[in-house]
Amino acid sequence: MKVSGEKLNFVLNKVRVIREHLKTCPHPQEPTVNPDDIRWAIQDLYALEIDIVEVTFTAEHLAGNIERFDNKRARILVRSGQTAPMKRFVATKELSHLAIDEQDDWSTLGVETIKNLLSEYQLLEKNGEGHQNPARSLASEILAEIAAIELLYSFEYREADIKKIEADETTINKIALEHDVPPFAIETALVHYDVLKQIWDEINKA
């Protein structure tokens, strides 16, 4: 799926605000960012009350989900049995929805959205582009993944990490261990380094 520069700018600006707020958190944030601290930052910024709980899903491909309530409360459900880095990523992705989604992005069709997301990855492998006219819920899911990656693996590490990989001084798996995230998150961040750098440069100049 092609994501517009405008949407990326919007999401990365949200990430910037959250990361700035994390600096006021008493716990150390680098290189491993704590999703509980991300929850604290989003609660504080948006006046929300957020619970994160582990559950057992019957849907095979559902790693996590979010329930929103009218009283500015939300509950994030994370599938038990996943690796610790995957749980951290899923929790952060669902938290990101609370910061970046607009009302029209909300979808109760969780399983269908996950199926569409899997289809997106399959299309990316085949044509390198993915869906050309995705549903808003699918676009929201992709953007939430981008936000989660940016929150858990700060952009400032990437230029040096790319050079280390090219010099055989490290690997994607080693970087993933350092930041306690799934390897695919590191790979995704580095594959799209140039595009993300352009957006971050625009944000930092503003």
Side-chain angles (χ1 to χ4, degrees), residues 56-202:
T56 301
F57 288 127
T58 55
E60 182 180 353
H61 299 297
L62 196 58
N65 199 8
I66 185 169
E67 298 175 338
R68 309 172 199 251
F69 304 98
D70 292 336
N71 55 352
K72 301 209 78 173
R73 288 186 59 251
R75 185 168 69 161
I76 289 170
L77 310 177
V78 178
R79 184 175 195 157
S80 60
Q82 301 178 100
T83 65
M86 191 62 189
K87 288 178 185 176
R88 282 167 39 80
F89 180 80
V90 170
T92 304
K93 179 177 73 69
E94 299 302 335
L95 283 166
S96 297
H97 277 296
L98 294 170
I100 70 172
D101 281 0
E102 299 178 29
Q103 186 74 37
D104 289 344
D105 298 320
W106 295 11
S107 174
T108 57
L109 303 176
V111 175
E112 191 63 32
T113 301
I114 295 300
K115 288 180 179 178
N116 288 336
L117 190 58
L118 293 171
S119 173
E120 169 73 11
Y121 294 148
Q122 292 168 353
L123 278 174
L124 278 170
E125 290 180 1
K126 290 181 179 179
N127 63 19
E129 295 182 351
H131 290 86
Q132 297 304 300
N133 295 294
R136 287 194 66 136
S137 58
L138 175 57
S140 170
E141 200 69 18
I142 297 292
L143 291 170
E145 286 202 354
I146 292 170
I149 291 169
E150 295 301 311
L151 286 167
L152 294 172
Y153 177 41
S154 180
F155 186 82
E156 65 195 49
Y157 291 100
R158 297 178 202 173
E159 183 177 2
D161 284 344
I162 289 171
K163 290 178 180 178
K164 289 178 183 178
I165 290 172
E166 291 173 345
D168 291 328
E169 296 175 0
T170 191
T171 65
I172 285 175
N173 284 341
K174 287 180 180 178
I175 297 169
L177 283 172
E178 182 180 356
H179 295 273
D180 202 10
V181 298
F184 79 81
I186 302 298
E187 184 175 11
T188 299
L190 298 183
V191 165
H192 299 292
Y193 173 81
D194 290 338
V195 173
L196 292 167
K197 182 180 186 304
Q198 182 179 353
I199 304 295
W200 276 120
D201 285 347
E202 291 175 3

Side-chain angles (χ1 to χ4, degrees), residues 22-30 32-34 36-38 40:
L22 281 171
K23 293 178 181 178
T24 67
C25 181
H27 308 116
Q29 295 298 321
E30 301 292 350
T32 302
V33 182
N34 190 333
D36 280 336
D37 292 336
I38 295 173
W40 166 82

